[in-house]
């Protein structure tokens, strides 16, 4: 790793391609008052390519953070490598250190990383955060989630742009992934053409991690087309956006908050996948948290005319006249669950 070997800038055609990808996710009109873009850069080929391409199209309007998860002795040197490259490019740099809790190491590391990045984003006053997820990541994610029986939300894969809620009381911020239509090999070429040798994280090839096993499987079976898989994930994401739109309409048209009680009435007359989203939102409004699987089981019980309890909320099914449509419909009433008696 030698930042001094940085010897060139990305090909102008590639920079233009990146600029167009970024513009689709973060239009110029949304970058009010010269908003700056934050980049999460690890020193690997993907994130280095992100830094080089972004610097080519947004010079002077970037900031970079690199996270040391405390899991490998080499990590500190890798963070220093990114800092040296940023110094060469005159890009503000921040080193972040996090502690990773026990359990699923990769999931816990991601959680700690995004918490630290969201705090950094607010402290620096940045307008959005970009990460270097690419088409190969998307294909791997789709296969992993198919193998777990994920629903449509999971199969939609990595979103190109989404509001990220750090869960710490702060405002959600735009999380952008402008490289989702780029292959990993293309990003490797960008870095090599600029004279850099990227960091190689050994966890990317360790078979104890699901993603590494899927990556190996894709490499060994050429009948699995990575680009086609990534395209399928994009189509699934479009389908999921349609469901989100319909769920918002269902919320606005068929859910009523009772005036004098912490309660909601929901006229449930939509496909199950929409009911699940509306049930989750109602429970959330009443202070509970439930998974889609839990909300689905509750919706099934309510559809059969049975009470359901989930996330500290009691749901009771009835049939009532709905004035706005002039017919009787299934109505589910949600209230905070009464405290359980202790004996």
């Amino acid at each position: 790793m030698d930042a001094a070997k940085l010897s060139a800038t990305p090909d102008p055609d590639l920079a233009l391609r990146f600029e167009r990808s970024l513009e689709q996710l973060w239009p110029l009109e949304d970058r009010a008052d010269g908003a700056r873009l934050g980049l999460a850069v690890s020193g690997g080929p993907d994130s280095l390519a992100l830094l080089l391409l972004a610097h080519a199209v947004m010079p002077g309007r970037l900031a970079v953070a690199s996270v040391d998860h405390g899991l490998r002795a080499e990590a500190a040197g890798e963070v220093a490598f990114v800092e040296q490259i940023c110094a060469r490019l005159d890009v503000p740099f921040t080193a972040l250190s996090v502690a990773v809790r026990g359990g699923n190491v990769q999931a816990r590391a991601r959680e700690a990383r995004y918490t630290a990045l969201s705090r950094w984003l607010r402290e620096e006053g940045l307008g959005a955060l970009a990460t270097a997820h690419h088409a190969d990541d998307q294909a791997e994610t789709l296969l992993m989630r198919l193998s777990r029986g994920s629903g449509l939300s999971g199969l939609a894969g990595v979103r190109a742009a989404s509001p990220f809620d750090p869960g710490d009381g702060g405002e959600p911020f735009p999380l952008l992934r402008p490289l989702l239509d780029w292959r990993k090999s293309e990003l490797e070429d960008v870095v090599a053409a600029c004279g850099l040798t990227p960091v190689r994280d050994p966890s990317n090839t360790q078979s104890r991690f699901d993603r590494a096993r899927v990556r190996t499987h894709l490499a060994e079976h050429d009948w699995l087309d990575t680009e086609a898989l990534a395209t399928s994930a994009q189509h699934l994401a479009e389908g999921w956006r349609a469901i989100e739109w319909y769920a918002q309409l269902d919320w606005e048209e068929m859910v009523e908050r009772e005036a004098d009680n912490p309660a909601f009435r929901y006229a449930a007359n939509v496909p199950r996948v929409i009911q699940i989203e509306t049930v989750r939102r109602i429970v959330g409004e009443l202070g509970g948290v439930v998974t889609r699987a839990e909300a689905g089981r509750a919706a099934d019980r309510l559809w059969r005319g049975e009470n359901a309890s989930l996330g500290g909320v009691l749901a009771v099914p009835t049939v009532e006249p709905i004035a706005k449509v002039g017919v009787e419909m299934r109505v589910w009433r949600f209230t905070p669950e009464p405290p359980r008696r202790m004996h």
Side-chain angles (χ1 to χ4, degrees), residues 133-147 154-159 179-184 210-211 213-219 221 224-234 236:
H133 295 85
H134 47 74
D136 295 65
D137 290 327
Q138 188 73 292
E140 293 160 10
T141 298
L142 178 59
L143 286 180
M144 289 168 62
R145 293 181 179 176
L146 279 168
S147 71
L155 296 179
V158 182
R159 311 302 199 272
L179 298 177
L180 279 184
D181 60 350
W182 295 61
R183 292 297 307 274
K184 183 177 181 65
D210 290 347
R211 186 172 290 276
R213 291 199 298 272
V214 169
R215 184 173 298 133
T216 299
H217 190 81
L218 276 168
H221 297 83
L224 285 169
D225 188 312
T226 295
E227 291 185 28
L229 288 169
T231 299
S232 290
Q234 181 180 351
L236 287 162

Side-chain angles (χ1 to χ4, degrees), residues 9-341:
T9 57
D11 180 277
D13 289 340
L14 295 178
L16 179 60
R17 176 183 168 190
F18 175 81
E19 186 173 22
R20 289 171 175 165
S21 297
L22 184 62
E23 167 68 15
Q24 289 180 341
L25 307 181
W26 201 31
L28 291 174
E29 57 266 26
D30 293 344
R31 308 179 204 175
D33 303 321
R36 295 183 299 149
L37 178 64
L39 306 179
V41 180
S42 67
D46 315 334
S47 61
L48 282 185
L50 174 67
L51 170 57
L52 294 168
L53 291 164
H55 181 261
V57 303
M58 292 184 66
R61 295 181 59 189
L62 300 175
V64 166
S66 190
V67 181
D68 181 351
H69 299 86
L71 299 174
R72 294 185 298 112
E74 302 86 355
E78 293 165 1
V79 170
F81 170 57
V82 177
E83 183 175 16
Q84 293 164 14
I85 294 173
C86 288
R88 291 285 304 275
L89 297 174
D90 196 24
V91 173
F93 173 83
T94 301
L96 302 172
S97 297
V98 300
V100 179
R101 296 182 291 137
N104 183 323
V105 174
Q106 291 194 324
R108 297 297 189 188
R110 181 186 185 280
E111 177 184 315
R113 177 169 64 254
Y114 276 101
T115 298
L117 287 169
S118 64
R119 187 180 306 117
W120 166 73
L121 199 81
R122 288 198 298 272
E123 290 173 352
E124 295 294 321
L126 303 174
L129 175 69
T131 64
H133 295 85
H134 47 74
D136 295 65
D137 290 327
Q138 188 73 292
E140 293 160 10
T141 298
L142 178 59
L143 286 180
M144 289 168 62
R145 293 181 179 176
L146 279 168
S147 71
R148 297 170 185 166
S150 295
L152 187 56
S153 174
L155 296 179
V158 182
R159 311 302 199 272
S162 59
F164 179 75
D165 185 352
D168 58 2
E171 288 293 320
F173 58 83
L175 180 57
L176 313 176
R177 299 181 177 96
L179 298 177
L180 279 184
D181 60 350
W182 295 61
R183 292 297 307 274
K184 183 177 181 65
S185 58
E186 294 179 297
L187 302 177
E188 296 260 12
D189 290 345
V190 168
V191 174
C194 291
L196 291 174
T197 301
V199 168
R200 301 292 177 181
D201 185 344
S203 69
N204 289 333
T205 58
Q206 292 176 357
S207 61
R208 64 193 179 99
F209 295 118
D210 290 347
R211 186 172 290 276
R213 291 199 298 272
V214 169
R215 184 173 298 133
T216 299
H217 190 81
L218 276 168
E220 294 175 347
H221 297 83
D222 57 7
W223 65 271
L224 285 169
D225 188 312
T226 295
E227 291 185 28
L229 288 169
T231 299
S232 290
Q234 181 180 351
H235 293 327
L236 287 162
E238 291 172 357
W240 181 249
R241 283 194 293 273
I243 287 174
E244 289 181 317
W245 179 87
Y246 196 174
Q248 177 64 30
L249 186 65
D250 192 43
W251 172 265
E252 294 172 357
E253 295 292 329
M254 294 299 174
V255 178
E256 295 181 1
R257 183 191 295 267
E258 295 192 359
D260 300 325
N261 300 299
F264 288 86
R265 293 171 66 251
Y266 171 34
N269 193 40
V270 291
R272 182 177 183 270
V273 67
I274 307 298
Q275 293 173 359
I276 289 171
E277 297 306 302
T278 302
V279 167
R280 291 184 72 230
R281 185 164 178 178
I282 291 172
V283 172
E285 290 288 329
L286 291 172
V289 178
V290 291
T291 65
R292 287 187 172 88
E294 291 167 338
R297 288 191 292 270
D300 291 341
R301 288 182 59 87
L302 291 163
W303 192 261
R304 294 194 301 265
E306 303 169 6
N307 291 358
S309 176
L310 68 167
V313 173
L314 176 64
V316 178
T318 64
V319 175
E320 301 178 17
I322 304 299
K324 67 174 65 179
V325 293
V327 297
E328 288 191 339
M329 293 176 58
R330 288 180 172 88
V331 172
W332 301 344
R333 189 172 186 273
F334 295 79
T335 57
E337 201 166 20
R340 296 183 179 180
R341 295 181 180 178

